[in-house]
Amino acid sequence: MEPVPLQDFVRALDPETLPRVLRVCSGVYFEGSIYEISGNECCLSTGDLIKVTQVRLQKVVCENPRTSQTMELPCNFQGYFTPLNTPQSYETLEELVSATTQSSKQLPTCFMSTHRIVTEGRVVTEDQLLMLEAVVMHLGIRCARCVLGLEGQQVILHLPLSQKGPFRKWEPSAPRTLLQVLQDPALKDLVLTCPTLPWHSLILRPQYEIQAIMHMRRTIVKIPSTLEVDVEDVTASSQHVHFIKPLLLSEVLARQGPFPLSTEILEVPERRPIFLSPWLGSLQKGQRLCIYGLASPPWRVLASSKGRKVPRHFLVSGAYQGKLRRRPREFPTAYDLLGAFQPGQPLRVVATKDCEGEREENPEFTSLAVGDRLEVLGSGQAHGAQGNDLDVLVCQRLSDQAGEDEEEECEEEAESPERVLLPLHFPGSFVEEMSDSRRYSLADLTAQFSLPCEVKVVAKDSRHPTDPLTSFLGLRLEEKITEPFLVVSLDSEPGMCFEIPPRWLDLTVVEAKGQPDWPEGSLPMATVEELTDTFYYRLRKLPACEIQAPPPRPPKSQGLSKQRRHSTQEGGVKSSQVLGLQQHALLPKPKAKTLPKFTKDGSSTYRKIPAHRKGHRPAKPQRQDPDDDEHDYEEILEHFQKTI
């Protein structure tokens, strides 16, 4: 087959003969190095092979042959078309008359000229229909007597038989639909007429979209038929040609088999590494991989090391077989305690620093000292100083003693337990109280306890000889992530498998020849992967890793506003007194083991919280000698800080 323009090939193509293999004989390159525009191919190189699988009509452009104006017709256009000329053309009127008299049809006959005719002071345009009635002598010249219809009138014209054309006969035919006209090769580029369109004559120029397969292309290539490229049909000589179709790991995951699948890497995405694993450097172009299927179970746990200045982050597979032991959790605020509390599971903690309760906000807000033991009961609400409701954590104070002493006081505490209310923004510091020495598997631990959770790996995974988790004093299991992974091994090292997440490491591969065998026994797995810091924080942004909303802001203190209102009622406060308070605020604060407690009368005294005794709560603060003003400045300092 000789090379033809792509548009001509598509118009003459029979859809029943698809697929067809084409070779590009003269390529086309779009300026600007754009590979495709709006999903359509715009660059083809000479020698490229294209396997056409489908041809779809996109639109039809209707052109006026007189004015070159165009309009687009929808593919479902309902009008009917009639051809105004036939493919046979005649160079002169004499040839037209001779062909007509020799055929079975006699005069009169209708015809059109493809060029303008100027005769007898009139101009006959190329889109006007003439009826040839007879051949007569006019002014001594053999002429064709023709009838021209103009606005309901008939004008007789005498055209010499030597008049040059070309001319085309017009034969009335049955009206045809748009698709019928486009499917008839004999009507290609003929002048048509349609009563529903504003132009008397028109030419239809269809535009098609070609869907094809090309070498090393993952998706179906869409090529517009208007692309100025010549092609040659080489279907007969290309039966042995195999078009290589690249695959993404995400596509392998979506089609779910068949496994195992032997592949070869074509491209590695250029981005920052996600794992700090030795096998990551082996993922290069040309490396052969064996994909064994979907990893099970599909969930993993995000973990971070504790006890080091720079924490390390890991993604631990649900198939991890190491043994873990729980460690006490640390909670910086009461809000964190509420997030870790689960109904039906007791949560007991010990305060690790002294914290003063906001009694000016609510008298029930309790102060805590180092060593106070609490049991979390749940959430609640309390009235604030402004009359609004505040979210609080409801706790129960436990005895400071343990063992036998605690058993002796069980009945006493059961009769009158002391309730402790802590606002959620309470800046305390707590550590979990536990005596759990059991060894858990990762699956059991995540099923029985909520995350985050503090653990210590006491036995490494026997299938992971270099298990790094046993070297840390503790691990914080932060979040459970469900994401499909593919089990993969290098062709050069089939004895060790690892898991690749296609969502974050989507390699481009191609199926390789040969079917790999399943290894004997269970697949040796690397169940722990160390993460880069960048990828770790990227994981923490996932919806599954989003922690609860931040704790509420502490309510604004009303002490300063009340003081201003009180001062206004008394006639105001001198500026020197305010300056004096500001100067006292800059004085150094003496250190004390416990927080001071002030009475409402504003005396310049402070106290130390006495040591707790068995069965007794801290006593009320006792006033010291008012004459002792050794630390008078401290009361002013503390009171002023509380008011601002």
Side-chain angles (χ1 to χ4, degrees), residues 564-594:
R564 288 177 177 174
R565 289 197 299 267
H566 181 69
S567 301
T568 304
Q569 295 174 359
E570 293 182 356
V573 180
K574 295 183 180 180
S575 60
S576 60
Q577 295 176 344
V578 177
L579 291 176
L581 288 176
Q582 294 177 351
Q583 292 174 359
H584 283 297
L586 299 176
L587 294 176
K589 179 180 177 181
K591 297 182 180 179
K593 294 183 179 180
T594 55

Side-chain angles (χ1 to χ4, degrees), residues 362 364-365 380-384 388-392 421:
N362 189 306
E364 293 189 66
F365 288 171
Q381 285 189 336
H383 294 290
N388 57 332
D389 292 335
L390 300 177
D391 294 329
V392 297
L421 300 183

Side-chain angles (χ1 to χ4, degrees), residues 304-311 327 472-475:
S304 297
S305 64
K306 296 183 67 67
R308 297 192 177 185
K309 293 183 179 180
V310 180
R327 296 179 71 250
F472 301 108
L473 296 177
L475 284 178

